[in-house]
């Protein structure tokens, strides 16, 4: 489904090989400077590797721009403020996310069918956001904004979801809630997911596979029974 072949970006990444199957949830752990965020940026198209290939569904996407990849690769960042637009309403944020990679028109904002869709997606969060569609995102807490970012990332028909330290900016209780919600949503959607984290507990609890990235290489894959 997604294959990384001989990915190199000196001095950060060295000859990385990784293959994911449809619906698989892979977690990559490692210390600061290990190259985790760089790897996600390469997959997203924000950084071009010096060598190697990225294959998605048998198509080489290595040199396709980030903008053109956004239709099939979505990402949630560690900072809730990055993934959402502060001075727009919850509804407007969701609308723009739903139209990622498509032609956008103001007429979209008046379609009642999309309001029903957005409400149904937000209900999953159990945060009451489905009743606050016309409220500015600026009024939401960090955890609410991160949960909204997750819904936004899954609204499009993307094939790959990238999660970049999505609980790093949250307090422990909110982080646990966000991880439970994340696991529930991505598994229900059968979305192929790569998450990077420093939190080994989250990695082993929620990932189908947990892989250690150290000194630019995948050095160990943890046995599922280790959980």
């Amino acid at each position: 489904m997604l294959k990384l072949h001989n990915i190199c970006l000196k001095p950060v990444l060295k000859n990385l090989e990784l293959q994911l199957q449809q619906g698989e949830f892979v977690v990559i752990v490692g210390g600061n400077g290990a190259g985790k965020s760089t790897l996600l940026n390469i997959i997203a198209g924000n950084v071009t590797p010096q060598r190697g290939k990225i294959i998605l569904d048998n198509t080489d996407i290595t040199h396709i721009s980030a903008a053109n990849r956004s239709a099939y690769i979505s990402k949630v960042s560690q900072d809730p403020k990055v993934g959402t637009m502060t001075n727009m309403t919850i509804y407007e944020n969701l609308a723009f996310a739903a139209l990622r990679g498509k032609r956008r028109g103001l007429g979209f904002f008046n379609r009642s069918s999309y309001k029903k869709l957005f409400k149904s997606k937000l209900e999953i969060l159990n945060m009451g956001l489905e009743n606050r569609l016309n409220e500015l995102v600026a009024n939401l807490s960090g955890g609410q904004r991160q949960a909204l970012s997750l819904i936004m990332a899954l609204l499009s028909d993307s094939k790959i979801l990238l999660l970049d330290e999505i609980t790093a900016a949250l307090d422990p209780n909110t982080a646990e809630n966000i991880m439970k919600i994340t696991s529930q949503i991505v598994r229900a959607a059968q979305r192929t997911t790569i998450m990077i984290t420093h939190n080994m507990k989250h990695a082993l609890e929620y990932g189908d596979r947990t892989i250690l990235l150290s000194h630019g290489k995948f050095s160990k894959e943890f046995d599922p029974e280790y959980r």
Side-chain angles (χ1 to χ4, degrees):
M1 201 274 179
L2 177 69
K3 182 178 181 180
L4 308 182
H5 175 61
N6 196 34
I7 296 296
C8 294
L9 185 66
K10 295 180 180 180
V12 185
L13 301 176
K14 307 167 186 176
N15 307 103
L16 290 189
E17 298 279 345
L18 181 65
Q19 190 161 343
L20 280 78
Q21 302 302 319
Q22 172 66 41
E24 196 170 22
F25 193 146
V26 172
V27 183
I28 297 173
V29 297
N32 291 329
K36 303 186 302 299
S37 292
T38 300
L39 177 58
L40 286 199
N41 281 324
I42 286 175
I43 297 171
N46 298 312
V47 175
T48 301
Q50 294 166 328
R51 188 168 68 245
K53 293 182 179 181
I54 304 167
I55 308 295
L56 180 61
D57 288 344
N58 299 316
T59 299
D60 187 343
I61 64 169
T62 311
H63 299 288
I64 294 177
S65 69
N68 288 330
R69 287 190 208 186
S70 66
Y72 40 85
I73 297 178
S74 53
K75 183 179 178 182
V76 179
S77 301
Q78 62 178 290
D79 186 350
K81 295 179 181 179
V82 172
T84 53
M85 292 167 278
T86 300
N87 295 319
M88 297 181 70
T89 66
I90 293 174
Y91 178 80
E92 289 167 340
N93 272 265
L94 290 167
F96 273 100
L99 289 171
R100 184 181 290 114
K102 304 173 185 176
R103 291 187 62 186
R104 294 172 177 168
L106 293 178
F108 177 88
F109 298 116
N110 297 317
R111 298 180 187 177
S112 59
S113 61
Y114 284 100
K115 284 189 176 182
K116 292 179 181 178
L117 170 64
F118 297 160
K119 284 187 174 184
S120 68
K121 297 295 184 182
L122 291 171
E123 284 173 355
I124 299 171
L125 302 176
N126 197 29
M127 293 180 173
L129 297 184
E130 66 274 11
N131 300 316
R132 301 168 63 183
L133 285 177
N134 295 320
E135 188 167 342
L136 289 176
V137 166
N139 295 333
L140 303 183
S141 68
Q144 289 171 330
R145 289 183 73 160
Q146 195 65 302
L148 176 61
S149 295
L150 181 62
I151 295 295
M152 290 169 63
L154 290 167
L155 269 176
S156 67
D157 295 326
S158 63
K159 297 180 178 181
I160 305 295
L161 176 64
L162 306 177
L163 304 176
D164 185 0
E165 297 279 6
I166 62 171
T167 63
L170 306 175
D171 66 80
N173 289 336
T174 303
E176 289 294 337
N177 189 37
I178 289 296
M179 279 310 308
K180 288 177 182 177
I181 290 170
T182 298
S183 179
Q184 175 188 351
I185 293 175
V186 299
R187 294 193 185 284
Q190 294 186 318
R191 193 69 51 95
T192 305
T193 302
I194 301 177
M195 180 174 82
I196 63 173
T197 184
H198 284 92
N199 191 316
M200 183 59 79
K201 175 180 178 294
H202 287 167
L204 295 173
E205 183 175 355
Y206 294 104
D208 295 319
R209 296 162 61 195
T210 299
I211 304 172
L212 176 64
L213 180 60
S214 178
H215 302 293
K217 296 183 178 181
F218 290 132
S219 58
K220 180 178 181 179
E221 181 162 347
F222 293 88
D223 191 319
E225 294 184 1
Y226 182 76
R227 304 178 199 193

